[in-house]
Amino acid sequence: MQLDTSQSSMFVLFVGEQTQGDISLKNSLVEQGLNWTIARVASAEAALSAPSDGPVDVLVVDARLNGGDGSKLLARYRTEHPETVRILLLDEKAEPPDTTSMEVAQRLLSHPLRAEELVETIDGVLELRTLLDAPALKTFVGRFAQLPAAPELYLELTRVLNDPDCTTSHLINLVSRDPATAARVLRMCNSAYFSGGRVVSDLRSAVIRLGGQNLRRLVLASEVFSDNSPAAAVDREAMQQRAIRSSELALALLGDASADLAATACLLAEVGKLLPGVDTTEPGDATSPASDAPGYAETGAYLLGLWGLPLPIVEAVANQHRPSRSGHRGFWVTGAVHVARSLTCGLPVDEAYLASVAMAQRLPEWTKLVVSEEVA
């Protein structure tokens, strides 16, 4: 389903220096019959103080703002105005943004911005909200007296790793606060995926071997698949192994900063299965009876939204079986999660989707990555 944005007025605020394409963008929106108000301010400070007749529906921030002001502005809007669609605008030939910027932006677009691309992007974000706002899904989740707890240590590690003064000692001290998590991280560090044949027996060596981002992902896997959360009778160990394998493949599929988002989404792809009664049927499984319960992908995405995880992760989990539903023009986080999950879990790959984003020719190469890992 595609939302009809033309039937509602919208206030779109651009933040950054005026471009030659501003007038043509406005004219193109008018030609499409869109009743949108377009405004521009030059700085983050002006965006926060600019008077308007109503709330900002869409915030488009130029990544070239000085001193990280763009990321700070997006982060502030995420906290204070979560209903606003947040877009980060990049130069086509610029270096990829850092992880912080990508976590606070809901979409990444490039200069020069085209009207149809802007409309499709907004539609995609709003459609995801509609999917996760379904009354049946909210009723299903709302009947649980206790939900799986948000991964607090993972979220704290995320904050620490975004600090330029972060040290190995900071990471060790954080993980050491929870001996059970530290023990699980050590065990996973010594698994075939990370050990390289060398046994690690202390947390400091494990942190140095893994690096900050790998440590963060293992902590996430440890917290989410612990025995402390209310769950149906699921094989947590098998889920955790699938999560780690698909996470590693997702890192290989995306070569930029967005790879970390895809890897994290893969770790959380089956989190919806931790709620009893959810439909765990996989695509193409004709042996399971039809169920009226919400699917684990949508349920998991709803839970991640409650935890406050970045929208690209929430969207990738929700659309892991139907990547074309994301509405993203290129092969990004949702596409990488779909391919990584499908190949590592033996699920069908949407080859029509891959063809639509000009990535179908890469599928044999990606399949070999999984086969070589299994042989090793």
Side-chain angles (χ1 to χ4, degrees):
M1 181 188 75
Q2 195 72 7
L3 299 180
D4 186 4
T5 53
S6 65
Q7 297 304 310
S8 60
S9 62
M10 281 197 173
F11 177 44
V12 183
L13 179 62
F14 284 80
V15 184
E17 296 297 329
Q18 190 166 356
T19 69
Q20 294 180 344
D22 280 10
I23 295 178
S24 61
L25 176 64
K26 290 180 181 180
N27 291 339
S28 183
L29 291 172
V30 171
E31 290 173 1
Q32 293 189 40
L34 297 173
N35 183 26
W36 291 7
T37 300
I38 305 292
R40 179 180 287 276
V41 294
S43 66
E45 293 82 1
L48 293 171
S49 59
S52 65
D53 295 332
V56 176
D57 297 300
V58 182
L59 180 70
V60 184
V61 177
D62 196 321
R64 296 172 295 188
L65 290 182
N66 293 329
D69 284 349
S71 295
K72 294 175 183 177
L73 177 62
L74 290 168
R76 182 162 176 178
Y77 259 79
R78 181 179 64 177
T79 301
E80 300 179 5
H81 308 284
E83 72 284 354
T84 299
V85 177
R86 304 182 304 276
I87 298 172
L88 185 64
L89 201 56
L90 309 170
D91 283 330
E92 285 187 322
K93 297 182 180 180
E95 291 294 321
D98 57 30
T99 303
T100 302
S101 298
M102 297 179 68
E103 288 183 346
V104 294
Q106 295 171 324
R107 285 290 192 279
L108 305 178
L109 297 178
S110 300
H111 292 289
L113 182 58
R114 299 183 298 275
E116 61 274 15
E117 187 176 17
L118 179 63
V119 173
E120 287 179 6
T121 296
I122 296 170
D123 275 342
V125 174
L126 297 182
E127 186 170 4
L128 177 65
R129 289 181 183 173
T130 299
L131 174 69
L132 300 183
D133 202 39
L137 179 59
K138 298 177 96 173
T139 300
F140 176 82
V141 177
R143 67 184 175 86
F144 293 101
Q146 181 183 3
L147 290 171
E152 294 182 2
L153 181 54
Y154 162 79
L155 296 173
E156 181 63 22
L157 278 171
T158 298
R159 288 189 287 270
V160 169
L161 286 168
N162 287 332
D163 184 346
D165 296 325
C166 170
T167 66
T168 299
S169 296
H170 288 144
L171 302 179
I172 294 170
N173 289 338
L174 268 179
V175 179
S176 298
R177 292 179 188 175
D178 185 349
T181 297
R184 285 192 293 267
V185 167
L186 268 174
R187 181 168 60 86
M188 287 188 284
C189 180
N190 284 305
S191 70
Y193 301 109
F194 299 101
S195 70
R198 301 185 306 276
V199 176
V200 170
S201 57
D202 64 284
L203 194 56
R204 173 174 290 276
S205 298
V207 170
I208 293 173
R209 168 185 286 181
L210 293 169
Q213 297 303 334
N214 273 333
L215 173 67
R216 187 171 69 128
R217 284 189 290 273
L218 285 192
V219 165
L220 177 61
S222 172
E223 288 190 282
V224 168
F225 298 113
S226 71
D227 295 329
N228 299 325
S229 59
V234 296
D235 187 340
R236 294 173 184 269
E237 186 69 24
M239 287 174 61
Q240 183 172 275
Q241 291 302 314
R242 289 194 298 269
I244 292 174
R245 289 182 62 212
S246 60
S247 176
E248 290 298 298
L249 180 57
L251 284 173
L253 300 187
L254 290 178
D256 56 23
S258 58
D260 187 65
L261 292 174
T264 302
C266 280
L267 286 176
L268 298 166
E270 295 187 55
V271 70
K273 293 181 179 179
L274 297 179
L275 293 177
V278 72
D279 183 1
T280 59
T281 304
E282 301 287 6
D285 185 358
T287 62
S288 297
S291 172
D292 294 329
Y296 74 84
E298 293 83 359
T299 306
Y302 185 88
L303 181 61
L304 300 184
L306 295 179
W307 288 353
L309 268 72
L311 188 71
I313 293 176
V314 175
E315 180 179 39
V317 171
N319 296 323
Q320 59 185 284
H321 301 140
R322 296 175 56 191
S324 58
R325 191 168 59 182
S326 72
H328 197 274
R329 280 178 168 263
F331 182 78
W332 198 45
V333 176
T334 298
V337 170
H338 168 71
V339 172
R341 284 271 301 152
S342 297
L343 292 181
T344 56
C345 301
L347 303 175
V349 176
D350 188 341
E351 296 188 33
Y353 160 75
L354 289 182
S356 73
V357 294
M359 298 297 277
Q361 74 281 2
R362 301 289 302 277
L363 184 56
E365 169 193 343
W366 294 335
T367 303
K368 287 181 180 178
L369 289 176
V370 178
V371 172
S372 62
E373 180 186 84
E374 290 174 346
V375 171

